[in-house]
Amino acid sequence: MTTLFSALDWRAMSQQERDLGLNNGVAVPGSVEMVAGWEQRSGEMRKRFPAHLDLRYGPRERNRIDFLKAADGAPTLLFIHGGYWQARAKEVFTVMAEGPMTHGINVALVGYTLAPEATLDEIVAEIHAGIDYLTGQLPALGAAAGGIVVSGWSAGGHLTSMALSHPRVRAGMAISGIYDLEPIRHSYLNEKLKLDEAMSRRNSPVKQADGPAKPLSLVVGSAELPLLRKQTADFAAHRASLGLPVTYEEIPGADHFTVLHELIPANGRITTLIRQALERTTA
C-alpha cells in the first residue's frame, strides 16, 4: 500500500472533497458503458438459466432471488449487488456468476428494496430474510445444503459483512465495500439513505466491539478512491485486532468497476478466492 491511510481523514475534508472522494461514477471514466455491458451479458445469461429466476422471499417488489444452477449437489454462492444501497439491481450482475459456475458453484443473486423506500436497517433485514429463504430451498433446488458463502460488491460488500452473522453463512467475500457509514452520513449519499448517527453506528461493522468468527476475505482495487481503499484496510485491521479471521488484498491497477473483472473469468483472482473459501468451509 502506497497511501498512508492514517493521514486520510474524511472529517478534515470539505463537503465537496468528501462527495468527490466517494463518487465512483465521476472517478472512473467509462463506468456507465462498463455497467451497460454487464447488463447486456447478464440478460444473455439469464436466458441460458431461466429455471429459477425471481424466487420470491418477501412481500416487497425487489424481494426476489435468482438461482443459477451449475450442478446437482454443488455448493452455493450468494451475490449481493452494489449501488450505494440506492441504485442498480440484481439483473445487472448475473454475469458475475460466470466464473464461479465454471468451477461447479451454484450462484444466487438477491434483490433488495432500495433507499429511500427502505432504511438501511430494513435492507440488512431483507438480506437476512433472503438468506433464510435461499438456504431453506437449497435441497429442493438440488444444491448442497451445508450453508452458503456470501459475496458482494460496493454496498453489497457492506451487506456481505452484515450477512456474516447469519447462522447459515459459512464465509464472506466482500469486494470494495463500505464498513464505516459515518463518511456516508456526511455526504451527498445520505439524501436518500437518511442515516442518523444511531443507524450509522449499528450498521458499521468497523464500529462493533465484536463480530462473527467466520472467514472473511476483503478485496479492493489498488486504483480505487483513497477513502474507499481506506474503508477496506481499516476493516481488515479492525477484524485482525479482534482476532477474527480475515484476509486483505488489493487487486493491482483495478478501479471500483474493473475490480469485478476478477470475478467474471474462471481464473480471476476473486473467483479463485471464492472457490478456496467454499473448499475450506464445506460441511
Side-chain angles (χ1 to χ4, degrees):
M1 268 181 286
T2 58
T3 303
L4 290 175
F5 289 133
S6 59
L8 189 64
D9 184 1
W10 62 267
R11 296 172 188 82
M13 296 178 176
S14 68
Q15 182 73 55
Q16 183 181 27
E17 289 171 335
R18 190 156 53 242
D19 287 349
L20 285 173
L22 295 167
N23 194 324
N24 294 295
V26 170
V28 183
S31 61
V32 172
E33 293 78 9
M34 200 181 312
V35 174
W38 296 344
E39 189 167 11
Q40 180 181 354
R41 291 175 62 184
S42 292
E44 295 166 358
M45 196 163 185
R46 287 166 63 83
K47 290 177 183 176
R48 287 165 44 208
F49 296 93
H52 307 293
L53 301 181
D54 289 322
L55 306 176
R56 182 168 285 284
Y57 71 83
R60 304 183 80 168
E61 175 59 28
R62 283 174 169 254
N63 293 165
R64 302 171 188 266
I65 290 175
D66 296 338
F67 180 83
L68 283 68
K69 188 173 181 179
D72 283 327
T76 297
L77 170 76
L78 177 66
F79 184 83
I80 309 172
H81 74 81
Y84 272 139
W85 310 273
Q86 55 194 270
R88 303 203 171 96
K90 63 179 172 61
E91 289 80 7
V92 176
F93 295 90
T94 315
V95 67
M96 304 304 157
E98 282 188 2
M101 291 184 77
T102 60
H103 295 285
I105 300 167
N106 301 321
V107 178
L109 299 101
V110 60
Y112 53 90
T113 307
L114 302 179
E117 283 72 30
T119 66
L120 196 54
D121 286 335
E122 291 170 336
I123 292 169
V124 170
E126 286 187 358
I127 297 300
H128 278 254
I131 294 170
D132 286 340
Y133 173 83
L134 175 63
T135 54
Q137 291 295 309
L138 289 177
L141 292 166
I148 62 173
V149 167
V150 175
S151 183
W153 167 74
S154 197
H158 165 266
L159 294 171
T160 293
S161 68
M162 298 298 286
L164 205 62
S165 63
H166 193 286
R168 299 301 304 279
V169 171
R170 303 200 308 248
M173 171 76 245
I175 308 161
S176 303
I178 305 291
Y179 311 105
D180 179 1
L181 295 174
E182 278 298 279
I184 303 298
R185 185 167 75 89
H186 292 275
S187 79
Y188 74 102
L189 296 162
N190 206 40
E191 181 178 343
K192 289 185 177 180
L193 285 171
K194 303 185 187 307
L195 294 167
D196 59 21
E197 185 175 2
M199 190 185 301
S200 170
R201 176 168 288 276
R202 64 177 168 263
N203 287 291
S204 293
V206 78
K207 299 290 188 181
Q208 308 310 310
D210 202 354
K214 301 174 185 177
L216 178 62
S217 294
L218 299 171
V219 171
V220 69
S222 71
E224 296 206 40
L225 289 164
L227 281 178
L228 296 180
R229 290 173 58 218
K230 178 175 168 60
Q231 286 267 347
T232 298
D234 285 354
F235 186 38
H238 176 70
R239 280 187 62 89
S241 73
L242 296 174
L244 300 172
V246 65
T247 62
Y248 172 89
E249 186 167 330
E250 292 192 4
I251 303 297
D255 60 43
H256 192 67
F257 295 89
T258 59
V259 69
L260 284 177
H261 295 168
E262 294 298 320
L263 175 57
I264 297 173
N267 64 347
R269 179 58 182 160
I270 297 175
T271 305
T272 298
L273 290 171
I274 288 169
R275 177 175 54 79
Q276 290 172 347
L278 280 159
E279 290 171 352
R280 285 194 301 267
T281 61
T282 298

